[in-house]
Amino acid sequence: MSDNHIYNHIQVKPTSGFTGAEIEGIDLSAQLSDEVIGEIRQALLQWKVVFFRNQHLDHAGQIAFTSRFGEVTYAHPHEDEPPEGFEQILPIDRSRFEQRYGLRRTSYENQWHTDVTAAVNPPAGSILRAVNVPEVGGDTTWTNLVAAYEGLSAPLRELADNLKAEHRFGARYNIPPTSKFAERIGKNPLVSIHPVVRVHPETGERALFVNPGFTARILDVSRQESDLLLELFFNQITKPAYTTRFRWNNGDIAFWDNRATAHLAPQDLDHIDVERVLYRTTITGDIPVGPNGFKSEVVEGAVFNRSLPKAFQQSAENQADQAVAALV
Protein backbone atom coordinates (compact mmCIF):
# COMPACT_ATOMS: atom_id res chain seq x y z
CA MET A 1 0.00 0.00 0.00
CA SER A 2 1.50 3.34 -0.99
CA ASP A 3 1.13 6.45 1.13
CA ASN A 4 -0.51 9.12 -1.03
CA HIS A 5 -1.35 11.38 1.90
CA ILE A 6 0.65 14.44 2.85
CA TYR A 7 1.28 15.10 6.52
CA ASN A 8 2.60 18.51 7.49
CA HIS A 9 2.46 18.23 11.28
CA ILE A 10 3.18 14.56 12.08
CA GLN A 11 5.51 11.83 10.89
CA VAL A 12 3.76 8.61 9.83
CA LYS A 13 5.81 5.43 9.59
CA PRO A 14 3.90 2.28 8.50
CA THR A 15 4.55 -0.88 10.48
CA SER A 16 3.39 -3.34 7.80
CA GLY A 17 2.16 -3.40 4.23
CA PHE A 18 -1.56 -3.24 5.03
CA THR A 19 -2.00 -2.32 8.67
CA GLY A 20 -0.60 -0.02 11.31
CA ALA A 21 1.66 3.03 11.52
CA GLU A 22 3.69 4.74 14.21
CA ILE A 23 3.11 8.48 14.53
CA GLU A 24 6.06 10.57 15.63
CA GLY A 25 6.69 14.20 16.31
CA ILE A 26 3.87 15.05 18.72
CA ASP A 27 3.20 15.11 22.46
CA LEU A 28 -0.34 13.92 23.20
CA SER A 29 -0.36 15.69 26.57
CA ALA A 30 -0.07 19.07 24.81
CA GLN A 31 -2.95 21.13 23.46
CA LEU A 32 -3.06 19.78 19.92
CA SER A 33 -4.33 21.94 17.08
CA ASP A 34 -7.26 20.95 14.92
CA GLU A 35 -4.81 20.48 12.05
CA VAL A 36 -2.81 17.90 14.01
CA ILE A 37 -5.97 16.09 15.10
CA GLY A 38 -7.11 16.04 11.47
CA GLU A 39 -3.85 14.46 10.35
CA ILE A 40 -4.02 11.83 13.10
CA ARG A 41 -7.55 10.98 11.95
CA GLN A 42 -6.36 10.72 8.35
CA ALA A 43 -3.54 8.37 9.34
CA LEU A 44 -5.98 6.29 11.37
CA LEU A 45 -8.39 5.99 8.45
CA GLN A 46 -5.58 4.93 6.14
CA TRP A 47 -3.67 2.52 8.40
CA LYS A 48 -6.56 1.41 10.71
CA VAL A 49 -4.38 1.46 13.86
CA VAL A 50 -1.77 4.05 14.86
CA PHE A 51 0.80 3.97 17.65
CA PHE A 52 2.38 6.68 19.77
CA ARG A 53 5.55 5.89 21.70
CA ASN A 54 6.66 7.26 25.07
CA GLN A 55 3.69 9.46 25.89
CA HIS A 56 2.87 10.93 29.30
CA LEU A 57 -0.89 10.82 29.79
CA ASP A 58 -2.90 10.21 32.95
CA HIS A 59 -6.58 9.18 33.06
CA ALA A 60 -7.81 12.72 32.50
CA GLY A 61 -5.37 13.28 29.68
CA GLN A 62 -6.41 10.07 27.94
CA ILE A 63 -10.08 11.03 28.17
CA ALA A 64 -9.32 14.52 26.86
CA PHE A 65 -7.36 13.16 23.90
CA THR A 66 -10.08 10.61 23.11
CA SER A 67 -12.75 13.32 23.18
CA ARG A 68 -11.04 15.13 20.29
CA PHE A 69 -12.29 12.32 18.03
CA GLY A 70 -15.84 11.88 19.33
CA GLU A 71 -18.02 11.26 22.34
CA VAL A 72 -16.30 9.10 24.97
CA THR A 73 -18.32 6.10 26.16
CA TYR A 74 -18.57 4.72 29.67
CA ALA A 75 -15.95 2.07 30.43
CA HIS A 76 -17.65 -1.17 29.38
CA PRO A 77 -21.11 -2.81 29.43
CA HIS A 78 -19.97 -5.40 31.97
CA GLU A 79 -17.45 -3.44 34.02
CA ASP A 80 -19.03 -1.02 36.49
CA GLU A 81 -15.96 -0.36 38.68
CA PRO A 82 -13.69 1.97 36.69
CA PRO A 83 -11.03 4.03 38.50
CA GLU A 84 -12.73 6.43 40.93
CA GLY A 85 -13.83 9.58 39.17
CA PHE A 86 -13.18 8.21 35.68
CA GLU A 87 -16.21 6.25 34.49
CA GLN A 88 -14.84 6.27 30.93
CA ILE A 89 -11.69 4.29 31.81
CA LEU A 90 -11.56 0.49 31.48
CA PRO A 91 -8.60 -1.12 33.27
CA ILE A 92 -7.01 -3.96 31.31
CA ASP A 93 -5.43 -5.63 34.34
CA ARG A 94 -5.17 -9.40 34.52
CA SER A 95 -4.60 -9.48 38.29
CA ARG A 96 -7.63 -7.25 38.96
CA PHE A 97 -9.80 -9.44 36.76
CA GLU A 98 -8.56 -12.64 38.35
CA GLN A 99 -9.18 -11.32 41.87
CA ARG A 100 -12.66 -10.10 41.00
CA TYR A 101 -13.95 -13.06 39.02
CA GLY A 102 -11.57 -15.92 39.76
CA LEU A 103 -10.76 -16.26 36.05
CA ARG A 104 -7.56 -15.81 34.12
CA ARG A 105 -8.58 -13.29 31.46
CA THR A 106 -6.16 -14.61 28.87
CA SER A 107 -7.53 -18.11 29.38
CA TYR A 108 -10.90 -17.22 27.89
CA GLU A 109 -10.37 -13.97 26.00
CA ASN A 110 -7.92 -15.38 23.51
CA GLN A 111 -10.05 -14.83 20.43
CA TRP A 112 -9.69 -12.24 17.72
CA HIS A 113 -12.37 -9.62 18.34
CA THR A 114 -13.63 -6.17 17.46
CA ASP A 115 -14.61 -4.26 20.59
CA VAL A 116 -18.20 -4.67 21.82
CA THR A 117 -19.81 -5.77 18.55
CA ALA A 118 -22.57 -7.31 20.67
CA ALA A 119 -23.88 -3.74 20.93
CA VAL A 120 -25.97 -2.33 18.11
CA ASN A 121 -23.50 0.56 17.85
CA PRO A 122 -20.01 -0.83 18.51
CA PRO A 123 -17.36 1.78 19.38
CA ALA A 124 -16.02 3.79 16.48
CA GLY A 125 -12.54 3.67 17.94
CA SER A 126 -10.55 2.51 20.94
CA ILE A 127 -7.49 4.02 22.62
CA LEU A 128 -5.26 1.87 24.83
CA ARG A 129 -2.54 3.28 27.13
CA ALA A 130 0.22 1.13 28.60
CA VAL A 131 1.15 1.83 32.23
CA ASN A 132 2.86 -1.33 33.48
CA VAL A 133 3.70 -3.92 30.84
CA PRO A 134 6.14 -6.85 31.06
CA GLU A 135 9.59 -6.65 29.53
CA VAL A 136 8.92 -9.92 27.69
CA GLY A 137 5.64 -10.95 26.08
CA GLY A 138 2.25 -9.26 26.04
CA ASP A 139 2.17 -8.07 22.42
CA THR A 140 -1.15 -7.14 20.78
CA THR A 141 -1.92 -7.90 17.12
CA TRP A 142 -4.35 -6.07 14.81
CA THR A 143 -5.81 -7.05 11.45
CA ASN A 144 -7.25 -4.93 8.65
CA LEU A 145 -10.86 -5.93 7.92
CA VAL A 146 -11.00 -3.82 4.76
CA ALA A 147 -7.98 -5.60 3.29
CA ALA A 148 -9.50 -8.94 4.33
CA TYR A 149 -12.73 -8.14 2.47
CA GLU A 150 -10.88 -6.94 -0.60
CA GLY A 151 -8.82 -10.13 -0.55
CA LEU A 152 -11.91 -12.30 -1.09
CA SER A 153 -12.81 -13.43 -4.59
CA ALA A 154 -15.55 -11.45 -6.34
CA PRO A 155 -18.24 -14.17 -5.90
CA LEU A 156 -17.51 -14.40 -2.16
CA ARG A 157 -17.61 -10.62 -1.78
CA GLU A 158 -21.00 -10.61 -3.48
CA LEU A 159 -22.24 -13.33 -1.13
CA ALA A 160 -20.90 -11.61 1.99
CA ASP A 161 -22.43 -8.27 0.96
CA ASN A 162 -25.91 -9.67 1.53
CA LEU A 163 -25.40 -11.71 4.71
CA LYS A 164 -26.35 -10.82 8.29
CA ALA A 165 -24.88 -12.21 11.51
CA GLU A 166 -25.81 -12.35 15.17
CA HIS A 167 -23.27 -10.93 17.64
CA ARG A 168 -23.42 -11.55 21.39
CA PHE A 169 -21.20 -11.53 24.45
CA GLY A 170 -19.77 -14.94 25.24
CA ALA A 171 -20.51 -16.28 21.76
CA ARG A 172 -17.23 -18.17 21.51
CA TYR A 173 -15.46 -17.48 24.80
CA ASN A 174 -14.86 -20.34 27.19
CA ILE A 175 -16.53 -18.68 30.19
CA PRO A 176 -17.57 -21.08 32.98
CA PRO A 177 -21.39 -20.80 33.18
CA THR A 178 -21.35 -20.64 37.00
CA SER A 179 -18.71 -17.90 37.20
CA LYS A 180 -19.37 -14.39 38.49
CA PHE A 181 -18.47 -13.02 35.08
CA ALA A 182 -21.07 -15.21 33.36
CA GLU A 183 -23.60 -13.97 35.92
CA ARG A 184 -22.73 -10.38 35.10
CA ILE A 185 -23.15 -10.99 31.37
CA GLY A 186 -26.51 -12.61 32.08
CA LYS A 187 -27.70 -9.50 33.91
CA ASN A 188 -26.89 -7.30 30.93
CA PRO A 189 -27.31 -9.35 27.76
CA LEU A 190 -26.23 -7.64 24.57
CA VAL A 191 -27.28 -9.18 21.26
CA SER A 192 -27.35 -7.44 17.88
CA ILE A 193 -27.72 -8.30 14.22
CA HIS A 194 -25.04 -6.76 12.01
CA PRO A 195 -24.28 -6.90 8.29
CA VAL A 196 -21.43 -9.30 7.58
CA VAL A 197 -19.93 -6.49 5.51
CA ARG A 198 -20.20 -2.93 6.77
CA VAL A 199 -19.61 0.23 4.77
CA HIS A 200 -17.22 2.54 6.57
CA PRO A 201 -19.08 5.81 7.27
CA GLU A 202 -16.04 8.02 6.56
CA THR A 203 -14.10 6.27 3.80
CA GLY A 204 -16.84 4.30 2.04
CA GLU A 205 -14.62 1.21 2.20
CA ARG A 206 -16.19 -2.19 2.80
CA ALA A 207 -14.97 -4.23 5.78
CA LEU A 208 -15.57 -7.89 6.61
CA PHE A 209 -17.37 -7.22 9.90
CA VAL A 210 -17.22 -10.58 11.71
CA ASN A 211 -14.97 -11.74 14.52
CA PRO A 212 -14.49 -14.97 16.52
CA GLY A 213 -15.01 -13.17 19.81
CA PHE A 214 -18.60 -12.02 19.30
CA THR A 215 -20.06 -13.39 16.04
CA ALA A 216 -22.34 -16.30 16.97
CA ARG A 217 -23.95 -17.30 13.65
CA ILE A 218 -24.89 -16.29 10.14
CA LEU A 219 -28.63 -15.70 9.77
CA ASP A 220 -30.95 -17.29 7.18
CA VAL A 221 -28.69 -20.28 6.51
CA SER A 222 -28.40 -23.70 8.11
CA ARG A 223 -26.18 -24.25 11.16
CA GLN A 224 -23.70 -26.21 9.05
CA GLU A 225 -23.59 -23.47 6.40
CA SER A 226 -23.17 -20.85 9.13
CA ASP A 227 -20.25 -22.71 10.71
CA LEU A 228 -18.52 -23.20 7.37
CA LEU A 229 -19.01 -19.59 6.29
CA LEU A 230 -17.75 -18.26 9.59
CA GLU A 231 -14.71 -20.52 9.45
CA LEU A 232 -13.95 -19.17 5.99
CA PHE A 233 -14.41 -15.54 7.07
CA PHE A 234 -12.45 -15.98 10.31
CA ASN A 235 -9.57 -17.56 8.40
CA GLN A 236 -9.66 -14.63 5.99
CA ILE A 237 -9.52 -11.85 8.57
CA THR A 238 -6.68 -13.53 10.50
CA LYS A 239 -4.32 -14.07 7.58
CA PRO A 240 -0.88 -12.86 8.68
CA ALA A 241 -0.58 -10.65 5.59
CA TYR A 242 -3.27 -8.30 6.91
CA THR A 243 -1.87 -7.98 10.44
CA THR A 244 0.58 -5.92 12.46
CA ARG A 245 2.00 -6.82 15.88
CA PHE A 246 2.84 -4.19 18.49
CA ARG A 247 5.49 -4.54 21.19
CA TRP A 248 4.38 -2.48 24.18
CA ASN A 249 6.51 -0.28 26.42
CA ASN A 250 5.27 1.79 29.33
CA GLY A 251 3.83 5.05 28.05
CA ASP A 252 2.90 3.70 24.62
CA ILE A 253 -0.56 4.32 23.17
CA ALA A 254 -2.47 2.48 20.44
CA PHE A 255 -5.49 4.02 18.69
CA TRP A 256 -7.50 1.80 16.37
CA ASP A 257 -10.47 2.22 14.07
CA ASN A 258 -12.90 -0.31 15.53
CA ARG A 259 -15.01 -0.15 12.37
CA ALA A 260 -12.21 -1.61 10.25
CA THR A 261 -10.08 -3.78 12.54
CA ALA A 262 -10.08 -6.77 14.85
CA HIS A 263 -7.35 -7.43 17.39
CA LEU A 264 -5.87 -10.27 19.39
CA ALA A 265 -4.87 -10.01 23.04
CA PRO A 266 -1.56 -11.51 24.24
CA GLN A 267 -1.22 -15.25 23.83
CA ASP A 268 1.95 -15.82 25.83
CA LEU A 269 1.38 -14.75 29.44
CA ASP A 270 -0.64 -17.48 31.15
CA HIS A 271 2.49 -19.29 32.32
CA ILE A 272 4.34 -16.12 33.40
CA ASP A 273 3.72 -14.37 36.73
CA VAL A 274 3.89 -10.77 35.54
CA GLU A 275 1.74 -7.67 35.81
CA ARG A 276 0.22 -6.12 32.72
CA VAL A 277 -1.82 -2.96 33.24
CA LEU A 278 -3.25 -0.82 30.46
CA TYR A 279 -6.24 1.54 30.30
CA ARG A 280 -8.78 1.75 27.49
CA THR A 281 -11.20 4.42 26.36
CA THR A 282 -13.72 4.05 23.55
CA ILE A 283 -15.56 6.41 21.22
CA THR A 284 -19.32 6.16 20.66
CA GLY A 285 -19.99 4.46 17.35
CA ASP A 286 -22.65 4.69 14.69
CA ILE A 287 -24.97 1.89 13.61
CA PRO A 288 -23.32 -0.31 10.96
CA VAL A 289 -24.86 -0.32 7.48
CA GLY A 290 -24.27 -2.99 4.85
CA PRO A 291 -23.73 -2.56 1.09
CA ASN A 292 -27.38 -3.51 0.49
CA GLY A 293 -28.62 -0.87 2.93
CA PHE A 294 -29.32 -3.22 5.85
CA LYS A 295 -28.88 -1.34 9.14
CA SER A 296 -27.87 -3.19 12.30
CA GLU A 297 -30.71 -4.14 14.63
CA VAL A 298 -30.79 -4.52 18.41
CA VAL A 299 -32.10 -7.80 19.83
CA GLU A 300 -31.22 -7.26 23.48
CA GLY A 301 -29.41 -4.53 25.37
CA ALA A 302 -28.86 -0.81 25.29
CA VAL A 303 -26.86 1.47 23.04
CA PHE A 304 -23.23 1.92 24.06
CA ASN A 305 -22.52 5.60 24.62
CA ARG A 306 -21.54 8.04 27.36
CA SER A 307 -24.48 7.22 29.64
CA LEU A 308 -23.83 4.65 32.34
CA PRO A 309 -25.94 1.51 31.83
CA LYS A 310 -29.01 0.76 33.93
CA ALA A 311 -28.75 -2.88 33.01
CA PHE A 312 -28.46 -4.15 36.54
CA GLN A 313 -31.70 -2.49 37.57
CA GLN A 314 -33.79 -2.92 34.43
CA SER A 315 -34.97 -5.92 32.50
CA ALA A 316 -33.48 -6.76 29.13
CA GLU A 317 -36.86 -6.03 27.54
CA ASN A 318 -36.87 -2.47 28.87
CA GLN A 319 -33.30 -2.00 27.65
CA ALA A 320 -34.23 -3.08 24.15
CA ASP A 321 -37.15 -0.63 24.14
CA GLN A 322 -34.82 2.16 25.22
CA ALA A 323 -32.27 1.22 22.57
CA VAL A 324 -34.82 1.30 19.77
CA ALA A 325 -36.16 4.66 20.98
CA ALA A 326 -32.64 6.10 21.17
CA LEU A 327 -31.82 5.06 17.63
CA VAL A 328 -34.94 6.41 15.93
Side-chain angles (χ1 to χ4, degrees):
M1 179 181 294
S2 61
D3 187 349
N4 296 319
H5 301 282
I6 298 175
Y7 298 98
N8 296 314
H9 301 88
I10 61 176
Q11 300 172 34
V12 179
K13 297 183 177 181
T15 58
S16 76
F18 284 102
T19 311
E22 290 195 13
I23 293 181
E24 299 179 350
I26 57 173
D27 176 2
L28 299 187
S29 66
Q31 182 61 39
L32 301 177
S33 68
D34 291 342
E35 290 77 13
V36 169
I37 293 297
E39 290 191 6
I40 293 173
R41 181 185 293 276
Q42 183 58 63
L44 178 70
L45 292 175
Q46 180 183 9
W47 293 105
K48 316 311 180 194
V49 56
V50 293
F51 307 107
F52 306 87
R53 296 286 190 182
N54 193 30
Q55 298 295 319
H56 304 281
L57 293 181
D58 55 13
H59 290 335
Q62 181 174 353
I63 293 169
F65 175 65
T66 307
S67 70
R68 298 295 301 276
F69 298 90
E71 177 187 78
V72 187
T73 71
Y74 59 87
H76 190 275
H78 296 132
E79 292 283 344
D80 60 348
E81 294 184 6
E84 185 174 355
F86 299 97
E87 63 186 24
Q88 305 95 331
I89 296 285
L90 175 68
I92 307 296
D93 181 348
R94 56 183 285 181
S95 61
R96 171 185 174 273
F97 191 85
E98 291 164 9
Q99 292 170 6
R100 188 175 184 190
Y101 296 116
L103 298 173
R104 293 183 70 85
R105 177 178 281 273
T106 51
S107 294
Y108 79 86
E109 197 177 65
N110 60 351
Q111 301 278 8
W112 284 92
H113 64 282
T114 298
D115 286 332
V116 201
T117 61
V120 73
N121 64 323
S126 300
I127 294 177
L128 192 60
R129 168 173 58 102
V131 172
N132 185 13
V133 294
E135 293 183 1
V136 177
D139 297 1
T140 305
T141 307
W142 282 264
T143 190
N144 184 332
L145 301 180
V146 172
Y149 171 81
E150 293 175 349
L152 292 171
S153 64
L156 282 177
R157 291 198 301 271
E158 184 177 358
L159 171 64
D161 284 346
N162 293 287
L163 293 176
K164 298 177 287 186
E166 177 188 280
H167 292 235
R168 61 170 63 237
F169 267 99
R172 295 174 184 272
Y173 289 155
N174 184 27
I175 303 174
T178 58
S179 68
K180 292 181 180 179
F181 193 59
E183 180 182 354
R184 180 168 289 271
I185 292 175
K187 288 181 178 179
N188 182 24
L190 290 180
V191 183
S192 297
I193 305 301
H194 294 304
V196 165
V197 176
R198 74 172 296 182
V199 179
H200 196 288
E202 294 187 67
T203 67
E205 296 172 314
R206 298 183 184 187
L208 192 54
F209 199 62
V210 293
N211 66 88
F214 291 105
T215 308
R217 62 190 178 97
I218 303 291
L219 272 63
D220 304 319
V221 299
S222 70
R223 171 58 68 178
Q224 180 184 35
E225 290 170 332
S226 173
D227 290 344
L228 291 171
L229 284 169
L230 286 177
E231 180 181 10
L232 186 154
F233 293 146
F234 293 162
N235 287 340
Q236 179 69 5
I237 69 172
T238 58
K239 284 183 176 179
Y242 305 135
T243 68
T244 192
R245 179 167 175 164
F246 188 62
R247 176 80 197 95
W248 293 97
N249 296 301
N250 292 346
D252 292 346
I253 289 174
F255 181 7
W256 61 95
D257 187 338
N258 203 54
R259 302 161 296 187
T261 60
H263 57 280
L264 183 66
Q267 303 291 288
D268 58 352
L269 294 182
D270 267 359
H271 67 296
I272 306 176
D273 186 17
V274 293
E275 286 190 350
R276 184 178 186 271
V277 181
L278 306 93
Y279 293 99
R280 193 192 78 184
T281 47
T282 46
I283 301 165
T284 297
D286 59 333
I287 304 171
V289 178
N292 61 1
F294 172 74
K295 194 173 185 179
S296 295
E297 299 173 350
V298 62
V299 178
E300 291 184 275
V303 294
F304 186 37
N305 54 27
R306 66 183 178 184
S307 302
L308 286 171
K310 299 179 180 178
F312 302 113
Q313 291 79 37
Q314 294 182 322
S315 69
E317 181 179 357
N318 287 340
Q319 291 178 60
D321 290 342
Q322 287 186 352
V324 172
L327 297 173
V328 172

